[in-house]
Coordinates of all heavy atoms in Angstrom, one line a residue:
M40 N 153.9 20.7 148.6 CA 153.6 21.7 147.7 C 152.7 22.8 148.4 O 151.7 22.5 149.0 CB 152.9 21.1 146.5 CG 152.6 22.1 145.4 SD 151.9 21.4 143.9 CE 153.3 20.6 143.2
S41 N 153.1 24.0 148.3 CA 152.3 25.1 148.9 C 151.1 25.5 148.1 O 151.0 25.1 147.0 CB 153.2 26.3 149.1 OG 153.4 27.0 147.8
Q42 N 150.2 26.3 148.8 CA 149.0 26.7 148.1 C 149.4 27.6 146.9 O 148.8 27.4 145.8 CB 148.1 27.6 149.0 CG 147.2 26.8 149.9 CD 146.2 26.0 149.2 OE1 146.3 24.8 149.1 NE2 145.2 26.6 148.6
D43 N 150.4 28.4 147.0 CA 150.8 29.2 145.9 C 151.3 28.4 144.7 O 151.0 28.7 143.6 CB 151.9 30.2 146.3 CG 151.4 31.3 147.2 OD1 150.3 31.7 147.1 OD2 152.2 31.8 148.0
E44 N 152.0 27.3 145.0 CA 152.4 26.4 143.9 C 151.2 25.8 143.2 O 151.3 25.6 142.0 CB 153.4 25.4 144.5 CG 154.7 25.9 144.9 CD 155.6 24.9 145.6 OE1 155.4 24.6 146.7 OE2 156.4 24.3 144.8
L45 N 150.2 25.4 144.0 CA 149.0 24.8 143.4 C 148.2 25.8 142.5 O 147.7 25.4 141.5 CB 148.1 24.3 144.6 CG 148.7 23.2 145.4 CD1 147.8 22.9 146.5 CD2 148.9 21.9 144.5
F46 N 148.2 27.0 142.9 CA 147.5 28.1 142.1 C 148.3 28.6 140.9 O 147.7 29.1 140.0 CB 147.1 29.2 143.0 CG 145.9 29.0 143.8 CD1 146.0 28.9 145.2 CD2 144.7 28.8 143.2 CE1 144.9 28.7 146.0 CE2 143.5 28.6 144.0 CZ 143.6 28.6 145.4
D47 N 149.6 28.6 141.0 CA 150.4 29.4 140.1 C 151.2 28.4 139.2 O 152.1 27.8 139.6 CB 151.4 30.3 140.9 CG 152.1 31.2 140.0 OD1 152.0 31.2 138.7 OD2 152.9 32.0 140.5
V48 N 150.8 28.4 137.9 CA 151.5 27.5 137.0 C 152.9 28.0 136.6 O 153.7 27.2 136.1 CB 150.7 27.4 135.7 CG1 149.3 26.7 135.9 CG2 150.5 28.7 135.0
C49 N 153.3 29.2 137.0 CA 154.6 29.8 136.7 C 155.5 29.8 138.0 O 156.5 30.5 138.0 CB 154.5 31.2 136.2 SG 153.6 31.2 134.6
W50 N 155.1 29.0 139.0 CA 155.9 29.0 140.2 C 157.4 28.7 140.0 O 158.2 29.4 140.6 CB 155.3 28.0 141.2 CG 156.0 27.9 142.5 CD1 157.0 27.0 142.8 CD2 155.9 28.8 143.6 NE1 157.4 27.2 144.0 CE2 156.8 28.3 144.6 CE3 155.2 29.9 143.8 CZ2 157.0 29.0 145.8 CZ3 155.3 30.5 145.1 CH2 156.2 30.1 146.0
N51 N 157.7 27.8 139.2 CA 159.1 27.5 138.9 C 159.9 28.6 138.3 O 161.1 28.7 138.5 CB 159.2 26.2 138.0 CG 158.8 25.0 138.7 OD1 159.0 24.8 139.9 ND2 158.3 24.0 138.0
R52 N 159.2 29.5 137.6 CA 159.9 30.6 136.9 C 160.3 31.6 137.9 O 161.4 32.2 137.9 CB 159.0 31.2 135.8 CG 159.7 32.4 135.1 CD 159.0 32.9 134.0 NE 159.0 32.1 132.8 CZ 160.0 32.0 132.0 NH1 161.1 32.5 132.2 NH2 159.9 31.2 130.9
H53 N 159.3 32.1 138.8 CA 159.6 33.2 139.7 C 159.9 32.9 141.1 O 160.2 33.7 141.9 CB 158.5 34.2 139.6 CG 157.1 33.7 140.0 ND1 156.8 33.4 141.2 CD2 156.0 33.5 139.2 CE1 155.6 32.9 141.3 NE2 155.1 33.0 140.1
R54 N 159.7 31.6 141.5 CA 160.1 31.1 142.8 C 159.5 31.9 144.0 O 160.2 32.2 144.9 CB 161.6 31.0 143.0 CG 162.3 30.1 142.0 CD 162.1 28.6 142.4 NE 162.8 27.8 141.5 CZ 162.4 26.6 141.3 NH1 161.4 26.0 141.8 NH2 163.1 25.8 140.4
G55 N 158.3 32.4 143.9 CA 157.7 33.1 145.0 C 158.0 34.5 145.1 O 157.7 35.2 146.1
N56 N 158.6 35.1 144.1 CA 159.0 36.6 144.1 C 157.6 37.3 144.2 O 156.7 37.2 143.3 CB 159.6 36.9 142.7 CG 159.9 38.4 142.6 OD1 159.0 39.2 142.9 ND2 161.1 38.7 142.2
P57 N 157.5 38.2 145.3 CA 156.2 38.9 145.5 C 155.7 39.7 144.3 O 154.5 39.8 144.1 CB 156.4 39.7 146.7 CG 157.6 39.1 147.4 CD 158.4 38.4 146.3
Q58 N 156.6 40.4 143.7 CA 156.2 41.2 142.5 C 155.7 40.4 141.4 O 154.8 40.8 140.7 CB 157.4 42.1 142.1 CG 157.7 43.3 143.0 CD 158.9 42.9 143.9 OE1 159.5 41.8 143.8 NE2 159.3 43.8 144.8
S59 N 156.4 39.3 141.2 CA 155.9 38.4 140.1 C 154.6 37.8 140.4 O 153.7 37.8 139.5 CB 157.0 37.3 139.8 OG 156.6 36.5 138.8
I60 N 154.3 37.4 141.6 CA 153.1 36.8 142.0 C 152.0 37.9 141.9 O 150.9 37.6 141.3 CB 153.1 36.3 143.4 CG1 154.0 35.1 143.4 CG2 151.7 35.9 143.9 CD1 154.4 34.6 144.9
E61 N 152.2 39.1 142.3 CA 151.2 40.1 142.3 C 150.9 40.6 140.9 O 149.8 41.0 140.6 CB 151.7 41.3 143.1 CG 150.6 42.3 143.5 CD 149.4 41.7 144.3 OE1 149.6 40.7 145.1 OE2 148.3 42.1 144.0
A62 N 151.9 40.4 140.0 CA 151.7 40.8 138.6 C 150.8 39.9 137.9 O 150.3 40.2 136.8 CB 153.0 41.0 137.9
N63 N 150.6 38.7 138.4 CA 149.8 37.7 137.7 C 148.3 37.8 138.1 O 147.9 37.4 139.2 CB 150.3 36.3 138.0 CG 149.5 35.2 137.3 OD1 148.6 35.4 136.6 ND2 150.0 34.0 137.6
P64 N 147.4 38.4 137.3 CA 146.0 38.7 137.7 C 145.3 37.3 137.8 O 144.3 37.3 138.6 CB 145.5 39.5 136.6 CG 146.4 39.4 135.4 CD 147.7 39.0 136.0
A65 N 145.8 36.3 137.2 CA 145.0 35.0 137.2 C 145.0 34.5 138.7 O 144.0 33.8 139.1 CB 145.6 34.0 136.3
M66 N 146.1 34.7 139.4 CA 146.2 34.3 140.8 C 145.1 34.9 141.7 O 144.4 34.2 142.4 CB 147.5 34.6 141.4 CG 148.7 33.8 140.8 SD 148.7 32.1 141.3 CE 149.1 32.4 143.0
R67 N 144.9 36.2 141.5 CA 143.9 36.9 142.3 C 142.5 36.5 141.9 O 141.6 36.3 142.7 CB 144.1 38.5 142.1 CG 145.3 39.0 142.7 CD 145.3 40.5 142.6 NE 145.2 41.0 141.3 CZ 146.3 41.3 140.5 NH1 147.5 41.1 141.0 NH2 146.2 41.7 139.3
N68 N 142.3 36.3 140.6 CA 141.0 35.8 140.1 C 140.6 34.5 140.6 O 139.5 34.2 141.0 CB 141.0 35.9 138.6 CG 141.1 37.3 138.0 OD1 140.8 38.3 138.7 ND2 141.4 37.4 136.7
K69 N 141.6 33.6 140.6 CA 141.4 32.2 141.1 C 141.0 32.2 142.6 O 140.1 31.6 143.0 CB 142.5 31.3 140.9 CG 142.7 30.9 139.4 CD 143.9 30.0 139.2 CE 144.1 29.7 137.8 NZ 145.2 28.8 137.5
R70 N 141.7 33.0 143.4 CA 141.4 33.1 144.8 C 140.0 33.7 145.0 O 139.2 33.3 145.9 CB 142.4 33.9 145.5 CG 143.8 33.2 145.7 CD 144.8 34.0 146.5 NE 146.0 33.2 146.7 CZ 147.1 33.6 146.1 NH1 147.2 34.6 145.3 NH2 148.2 32.8 146.3
R71 N 139.7 34.8 144.3 CA 138.4 35.4 144.4 C 137.3 34.4 144.0 O 136.3 34.3 144.7 CB 138.4 36.6 143.5 CG 137.0 37.4 143.5 CD 136.8 38.3 142.3 NE 136.7 37.4 141.1 CZ 137.3 37.8 140.0 NH1 137.9 38.9 139.8 NH2 137.2 36.9 138.9
D72 N 137.5 33.7 142.8 CA 136.5 32.8 142.4 C 136.3 31.6 143.4 O 135.2 31.2 143.6 CB 136.9 32.2 141.0 CG 136.7 33.3 139.9 OD1 136.0 34.3 140.2 OD2 137.1 33.0 138.8
R73 N 137.4 31.1 143.9 CA 137.3 30.0 144.9 C 136.5 30.5 146.1 O 135.7 29.7 146.6 CB 138.7 29.6 145.3 CG 138.7 28.5 146.3 CD 140.2 28.1 146.6 NE 140.2 27.3 147.9 CZ 140.8 26.2 148.0 NH1 141.4 25.6 147.0 NH2 140.9 25.6 149.2
A74 N 136.7 31.7 146.6 CA 136.0 32.2 147.7 C 134.5 32.3 147.4 O 133.7 32.0 148.2 CB 136.6 33.5 148.2
R75 N 134.2 32.8 146.2 CA 132.8 33.0 145.8 C 132.1 31.6 145.6 O 131.0 31.4 146.0 CB 132.8 33.8 144.5 CG 131.4 34.0 143.9 CD 130.6 35.0 144.8 NE 129.3 35.1 144.3 CZ 128.1 34.9 144.9 NH1 128.2 34.5 146.2 NH2 127.0 35.0 144.3
V76 N 132.8 30.7 145.0 CA 132.3 29.3 144.8 C 132.0 28.7 146.2 O 130.9 28.2 146.4 CB 133.2 28.4 144.0 CG1 132.9 26.9 144.2 CG2 133.3 28.8 142.6
Y77 N 132.9 28.8 147.2 CA 132.7 28.3 148.5 C 131.5 29.0 149.2 O 130.7 28.3 149.8 CB 133.9 28.4 149.3 CG 133.6 27.9 150.7 CD1 133.4 26.6 150.9 CD2 133.6 28.8 151.8 CE1 133.1 26.1 152.2 CE2 133.3 28.3 153.1 CZ 133.1 27.0 153.3 OH 132.7 26.5 154.5
E78 N 131.4 30.3 149.0 CA 130.3 31.0 149.6 C 128.9 30.6 149.1 O 128.0 30.4 149.9 CB 130.4 32.5 149.4 CG 129.4 33.4 150.1 CD 129.5 33.4 151.5 OE1 130.5 33.0 152.1 OE2 128.5 33.7 152.2
I79 N 128.9 30.3 147.8 CA 127.6 29.8 147.2 C 127.3 28.4 147.8 O 126.2 28.1 148.1 CB 127.7 29.7 145.7 CG1 127.8 31.2 145.1 CG2 126.6 28.9 145.1 CD1 128.1 31.2 143.7
I80 N 128.3 27.6 147.9 CA 128.1 26.2 148.4 C 127.7 26.3 149.9 O 126.8 25.6 150.3 CB 129.4 25.3 148.2 CG1 129.6 25.1 146.7 CG2 129.2 24.0 149.0 CD1 131.0 24.5 146.4
R81 N 128.4 27.1 150.6 CA 128.1 27.2 152.1 C 126.7 27.7 152.4 O 126.0 27.3 153.3 CB 129.1 28.2 152.7 CG 129.2 28.2 154.2 CD 130.2 29.2 154.8 NE 129.8 30.5 154.4 CZ 128.9 31.2 155.0 NH1 128.1 30.7 156.0 NH2 128.6 32.5 154.7
C82 N 126.2 28.6 151.5 CA 124.9 29.2 151.8 C 123.8 28.4 151.2 O 122.6 28.7 151.3 CB 124.9 30.6 151.1 SG 125.9 31.8 152.0
S83 N 124.1 27.3 150.5 CA 123.0 26.4 150.0 C 122.9 25.1 150.8 O 123.8 24.8 151.6 CB 123.4 26.1 148.5 OG 124.5 25.1 148.5
K84 N 121.9 24.4 150.5 CA 121.7 23.0 151.1 C 122.1 22.0 150.1 O 121.5 20.9 150.1 CB 120.3 22.9 151.6 CG 120.0 23.7 152.8 CD 118.8 23.4 153.4 CE 118.6 24.3 154.7 NZ 117.5 23.9 155.5
G85 N 123.0 22.3 149.1 CA 123.4 21.5 148.1 C 123.2 22.2 146.7 O 122.1 22.7 146.5
V86 N 124.2 22.2 145.9 CA 124.1 23.0 144.7 C 125.0 22.2 143.6 O 126.0 21.6 144.0 CB 124.6 24.4 144.9 CG1 126.0 24.5 145.4 CG2 124.4 25.3 143.7
T87 N 124.6 22.2 142.4 CA 125.4 21.6 141.4 C 126.4 22.6 140.8 O 126.2 23.8 141.0 CB 124.5 21.1 140.2 OG1 124.0 22.2 139.5 CG2 123.4 20.1 140.7
S88 N 127.4 22.1 140.1 CA 128.4 23.0 139.5 C 127.8 23.9 138.5 O 128.1 25.0 138.3 CB 129.5 22.1 138.9 OG 129.1 21.1 138.0
K89 N 126.8 23.3 137.8 CA 126.1 24.1 136.8 C 125.3 25.3 137.4 O 125.3 26.4 136.9 CB 125.0 23.3 135.9 CG 125.7 22.3 135.0 CD 124.6 21.5 134.3 CE 125.3 20.5 133.4 NZ 124.2 19.6 132.8
E90 N 124.7 25.1 138.6 CA 124.0 26.0 139.3 C 125.0 27.1 139.8 O 124.7 28.3 139.8 CB 123.2 25.5 140.4 CG 122.1 24.6 140.0 CD 121.5 23.7 141.1 OE1 122.1 23.5 142.1 OE2 120.4 23.2 140.8
I91 N 126.2 26.7 140.3 CA 127.2 27.7 140.7 C 127.6 28.6 139.6 O 127.7 29.8 139.7 CB 128.4 26.9 141.3 CG1 128.0 26.2 142.6 CG2 129.5 28.0 141.6 CD1 129.0 25.3 143.1
A92 N 127.9 27.9 138.5 CA 128.3 28.7 137.2 C 127.2 29.7 136.8 O 127.6 30.9 136.6 CB 128.6 27.8 136.1
N93 N 126.0 29.3 136.9 CA 124.9 30.2 136.5 C 124.8 31.4 137.5 O 124.6 32.5 137.1 CB 123.5 29.5 136.5 CG 123.4 28.6 135.3 OD1 124.1 28.8 134.2 ND2 122.6 27.6 135.4
Q94 N 124.9 31.1 138.8 CA 124.9 32.1 139.8 C 126.0 33.1 139.6 O 125.8 34.3 140.0 CB 124.9 31.6 141.2 CG 123.6 30.9 141.7 CD 123.6 30.5 143.1 OE1 124.1 31.2 144.0 NE2 123.1 29.3 143.3
M95 N 127.1 32.6 139.2 CA 128.3 33.5 139.1 C 128.3 34.2 137.7 O 129.1 35.1 137.5 CB 129.6 32.7 139.3 CG 129.8 32.3 140.7 SD 131.3 31.3 140.9 CE 132.5 32.5 140.7
G96 N 127.4 33.8 136.8 CA 127.5 34.3 135.4 C 128.7 33.9 134.7 O 129.2 34.6 133.8
R97 N 129.2 32.7 135.0 CA 130.5 32.2 134.4 C 130.2 30.9 133.7 O 129.3 30.2 134.0 CB 131.6 32.0 135.5 CG 131.9 33.1 136.4 CD 132.7 34.2 135.7 NE 134.0 33.7 135.2 CZ 135.1 33.6 135.9 NH1 135.1 33.9 137.2 NH2 136.2 33.2 135.4
Q98 N 131.1 30.5 132.8 CA 131.0 29.2 132.1 C 131.5 28.2 133.2 O 132.3 28.4 134.0 CB 132.0 29.2 131.0 CG 131.6 30.1 129.8 CD 130.3 29.7 129.2 OE1 130.0 28.6 129.0 NE2 129.4 30.7 128.9
L99 N 130.9 27.0 133.0 CA 131.3 25.9 133.9 C 132.8 25.6 133.9 O 133.3 25.4 135.0 CB 130.5 24.6 133.5 CG 130.7 23.3 134.4 CD1 130.3 23.6 135.8 CD2 129.9 22.2 133.8
N100 N 133.4 25.6 132.8 CA 134.9 25.3 132.8 C 135.7 26.4 133.5 O 136.8 26.1 133.9 CB 135.4 25.2 131.3 CG 135.3 26.4 130.5 OD1 134.4 27.2 130.7 ND2 136.2 26.6 129.6
C101 N 135.1 27.5 133.8 CA 135.8 28.6 134.5 C 135.8 28.4 136.0 O 136.7 28.9 136.7 CB 135.2 30.0 134.2 SG 135.4 30.5 132.5
I102 N 134.8 27.6 136.5 CA 134.8 27.4 138.0 C 134.9 25.9 138.4 O 135.1 25.7 139.6 CB 133.4 27.9 138.5 CG1 132.2 27.2 137.8 CG2 133.2 29.4 138.3 CD1 131.6 26.2 138.7
S103 N 135.0 25.0 137.4 CA 135.2 23.6 137.8 C 136.5 23.3 138.5 O 136.6 22.5 139.4 CB 135.0 22.7 136.6 OG 136.1 22.9 135.6
G104 N 137.5 24.0 138.2 CA 138.8 23.9 138.8 C 138.7 24.3 140.3 O 139.4 23.7 141.2
R105 N 138.0 25.4 140.6 CA 137.9 25.9 141.9 C 137.1 24.9 142.8 O 137.4 24.6 143.9 CB 137.1 27.2 142.0 CG 137.7 28.4 141.1 CD 139.1 28.8 141.3 NE 140.1 27.8 140.8 CZ 140.5 27.6 139.6 NH1 140.0 28.3 138.6 NH2 141.5 26.8 139.3
I106 N 136.1 24.2 142.2 CA 135.3 23.2 142.9 C 136.2 22.0 143.2 O 136.3 21.5 144.3 CB 134.1 22.8 142.1 CG1 133.1 23.9 142.0 CG2 133.5 21.5 142.7 CD1 132.0 23.7 141.0
S107 N 137.0 21.6 142.2 CA 138.0 20.5 142.4 C 139.0 20.8 143.5 O 139.3 19.9 144.3 CB 138.8 20.2 141.1 OG 137.9 19.8 140.1
E108 N 139.4 22.1 143.6 CA 140.4 22.4 144.6 C 139.7 22.3 146.0 O 140.3 21.8 147.0 CB 140.8 23.9 144.5 CG 141.7 24.1 143.3 CD 141.9 25.5 142.9 OE1 141.3 26.4 143.5 OE2 142.6 25.8 141.9
L109 N 138.4 22.8 146.1 CA 137.7 22.7 147.4 C 137.5 21.2 147.8 O 137.6 20.8 149.0 CB 136.4 23.5 147.3 CG 136.5 25.0 147.2 CD1 135.2 25.6 146.8 CD2 137.0 25.6 148.5
K110 N 137.2 20.4 146.8 CA 137.0 18.9 147.1 C 138.3 18.3 147.5 O 138.3 17.6 148.5 CB 136.4 18.2 145.9 CG 135.0 18.5 145.6 CD 134.3 17.6 144.6 CE 135.0 17.6 143.3 NZ 134.1 16.9 142.2
R111 N 139.4 18.6 146.8 CA 140.7 18.0 147.1 C 141.1 18.4 148.6 O 141.7 17.6 149.3 CB 141.7 18.6 146.2 CG 143.2 18.2 146.4 CD 144.2 19.0 145.8 NE 144.1 20.4 146.3 CZ 144.4 21.5 145.7 NH1 144.7 21.4 144.4 NH2 144.3 22.7 146.2
D112 N 140.8 19.7 149.0 CA 141.2 20.1 150.3 C 140.2 19.7 151.4 O 140.4 20.0 152.6 CB 141.3 21.7 150.3 CG 142.4 22.2 149.4 OD1 143.3 21.3 149.0 OD2 142.4 23.3 149.1
G113 N 139.2 18.9 151.0 CA 138.3 18.4 152.0 C 137.3 19.4 152.6 O 136.7 19.2 153.6
I114 N 137.1 20.5 151.8 CA 136.2 21.5 152.3 C 134.8 21.3 151.8 O 133.8 21.6 152.6 CB 136.8 22.9 151.8 CG1 138.1 23.2 152.3 CG2 135.8 24.0 152.1 CD1 138.8 24.4 151.7
V115 N 134.7 20.7 150.7 CA 133.3 20.4 150.2 C 133.4 18.9 149.7 O 134.4 18.3 149.5 CB 132.8 21.3 149.0 CG1 132.8 22.8 149.5 CG2 133.7 21.2 147.8
K116 N 132.2 18.4 149.5 CA 132.1 17.0 148.9 C 130.9 16.9 148.1 O 129.9 17.7 148.2 CB 132.1 16.0 150.1 CG 130.8 16.1 150.9 CD 130.8 15.0 152.0 CE 129.5 15.0 152.8 NZ 129.5 14.0 153.8
V117 N 130.8 15.8 147.3 CA 129.6 15.5 146.4 C 128.7 14.7 147.3 O 129.2 13.6 147.9 CB 130.0 14.9 145.2 CG1 128.7 14.5 144.4 CG2 130.9 15.8 144.3
N118 N 127.4 15.0 147.4 CA 126.5 14.3 148.2 C 125.2 14.1 147.4 O 124.3 15.0 147.4 CB 126.2 15.0 149.5 CG 125.4 14.2 150.4 OD1 125.2 13.0 150.3 ND2 124.8 14.8 151.4
G119 N 125.1 13.0 146.6 CA 123.9 12.8 145.8 C 124.1 13.4 144.4 O 125.1 13.9 144.0
S120 N 122.9 13.5 143.7 CA 122.9 14.0 142.3 C 121.6 14.7 142.1 O 120.6 14.3 142.7 CB 123.3 13.1 141.3 OG 122.3 12.1 141.2
R121 N 121.6 15.6 141.1 CA 120.4 16.3 140.7 C 120.6 16.6 139.2 O 121.6 17.2 138.9 CB 120.1 17.6 141.5 CG 118.9 18.4 141.1 CD 118.6 19.5 142.1 NE 119.6 20.4 142.4 CZ 120.1 20.7 143.6 NH1 119.6 20.0 144.7 NH2 121.0 21.5 143.8
D122 N 119.6 16.2 138.4 CA 119.7 16.5 136.9 C 121.0 16.0 136.3 O 121.6 16.7 135.5 CB 119.6 18.0 136.6 CG 118.2 18.6 137.1 OD1 117.2 17.8 137.0 OD2 118.2 19.7 137.6
G123 N 121.5 14.9 136.8 CA 122.7 14.3 136.2 C 124.0 14.9 136.7 O 125.0 14.6 136.2
C124 N 123.9 15.8 137.7 CA 125.1 16.5 138.2 C 125.2 16.2 139.7 O 124.2 16.0 140.3 CB 125.0 18.0 138.0 SG 125.0 18.5 136.3
G125 N 126.5 16.1 140.2 CA 126.7 15.9 141.6 C 126.3 17.1 142.4 O 126.5 18.2 141.9
V126 N 125.7 16.9 143.5 CA 125.3 18.0 144.4 C 126.4 18.2 145.4 O 126.8 17.3 146.1 CB 124.0 17.6 145.1 CG1 123.6 18.7 146.1 CG2 122.8 17.5 144.2
I127 N 126.9 19.4 145.4 CA 128.1 19.7 146.2 C 127.6 20.4 147.5 O 126.7 21.3 147.5 CB 129.0 20.7 145.4 CG1 129.4 20.1 144.1 CG2 130.2 21.1 146.3 CD1 129.9 21.1 143.1
V128 N 128.1 19.9 148.6 CA 127.8 20.4 149.9 C 129.0 20.8 150.7 O 130.1 20.2 150.5 CB 126.9 19.5 150.8 CG1 125.6 19.2 150.1 CG2 127.6 18.1 151.0
D129 N 128.9 21.7 151.7 CA 129.9 22.0 152.6 C 130.3 20.8 153.5 O 129.4 20.4 154.2 CB 129.6 23.2 153.4 CG 130.7 23.8 154.3 OD1 131.7 23.1 154.6 OD2 130.6 24.9 154.7
D130 N 131.4 20.3 153.4 CA 131.8 19.1 154.2 C 131.8 19.3 155.7 O 131.8 18.4 156.4 CB 133.1 18.5 153.7 CG 133.3 17.0 154.1 OD1 132.3 16.3 154.3 OD2 134.5 16.6 154.2
N131 N 131.9 20.6 156.1 CA 131.9 21.0 157.5 C 130.5 21.0 158.1 O 130.3 21.0 159.3 CB 132.6 22.3 157.7 CG 134.0 22.2 157.2 OD1 134.8 21.4 157.7 ND2 134.4 23.1 156.4
L132 N 129.5 21.0 157.3 CA 128.1 21.1 157.7 C 127.5 19.7 157.7 O 126.7 19.3 156.8 CB 127.3 22.0 156.9 CG 127.7 23.4 156.9 CD1 126.9 24.3 155.9 CD2 127.7 24.0 158.2
R133 N 127.9 18.8 158.6 CA 127.6 17.4 158.6 C 126.0 17.2 158.7 O 125.5 16.2 158.2 CB 128.2 16.7 159.9 CG 129.7 16.9 159.9 CD 130.3 16.0 158.9 NE 131.8 16.1 159.1 CZ 132.7 15.9 158.2 NH1 132.2 15.5 157.0 NH2 133.9 16.1 158.3
S134 N 125.2 18.1 159.2 CA 123.9 18.0 159.4 C 123.1 17.9 158.0 O 122.0 17.5 157.9 CB 123.2 19.1 160.2 OG 123.4 20.3 159.5
L135 N 123.8 18.3 156.9 CA 123.2 18.3 155.6 C 123.3 16.9 155.0 O 122.6 16.6 154.0 CB 123.9 19.3 154.7 CG 123.8 20.8 155.0 CD1 124.6 21.6 154.1 CD2 122.4 21.2 155.1
D136 N 124.0 16.0 155.5 CA 124.1 14.6 155.0 C 122.8 13.9 155.0 O 122.1 13.9 155.8 CB 125.2 13.9 155.7 CG 126.6 14.4 155.4 OD1 126.8 15.1 154.5 OD2 127.5 14.0 156.2

């Protein structure tokens, strides 16, 4: 399954048609949010999903999917907890373990 298929719930309908993909603003927003979520994680020494949502001025349910994607792809991981939430760290920065 390609990245586009993972991001786009309508993949089966338009089969990768560039105009159809570009017309879907949700795709651009998800990519933008994923990059912003990763940037927050990368620049911290551990951050919770609630803290990320607060920094972005977004609801937790709006960014939890982006965190799950980053975890699934092995880019970030949960390392410990704070205030009942998992602390998310950049999995590439091993020195933070």
Side-chain angles (χ1 to χ4, degrees):
M40 185 175 281
S41 73
Q42 277 298 107
D43 288 330
E44 289 174 278
L45 293 173
F46 279 114
D47 188 356
V48 297
C49 297
W50 179 261
N51 287 331
R52 179 176 287 288
H53 60 69
R54 299 282 185 209
N56 178 311
Q58 289 98 0
S59 183
I60 292 170
E61 197 56 36
N63 182 357
M66 294 285 292
R67 289 187 300 269
N68 293 343
K69 286 181 182 181
R70 286 187 179 109
R71 180 200 62 220
D72 287 351
R73 180 179 160 130
R75 180 70 181 122
V76 165
Y77 177 66
E78 185 66 18
I79 291 169
I80 294 168
R81 192 182 64 77
C82 292
S83 73
K84 293 190 177 194
V86 62
T87 68
S88 54
K89 289 179 185 177
E90 292 165 346
I91 294 169
N93 286 337
Q94 285 186 42
M95 292 179 67
R97 305 284 303 276
Q98 296 293 320
L99 181 58
N100 65 325
C101 294
I102 59 104
S103 63
R105 307 304 69 81
I106 295 168
S107 295
E108 292 164 0
L109 291 167
K110 289 192 303 190
R111 176 200 64 215
D112 294 343
I114 297 169
V115 301
K116 67 178 181 179
V117 175
N118 186 16
S120 66
R121 178 170 55 236
D122 299 326
C124 295
V126 175
I127 305 161
V128 296
D129 186 340
D130 199 26
N131 298 307
L132 300 176
R133 305 286 182 203
S134 63
L135 295 178
D136 288 341

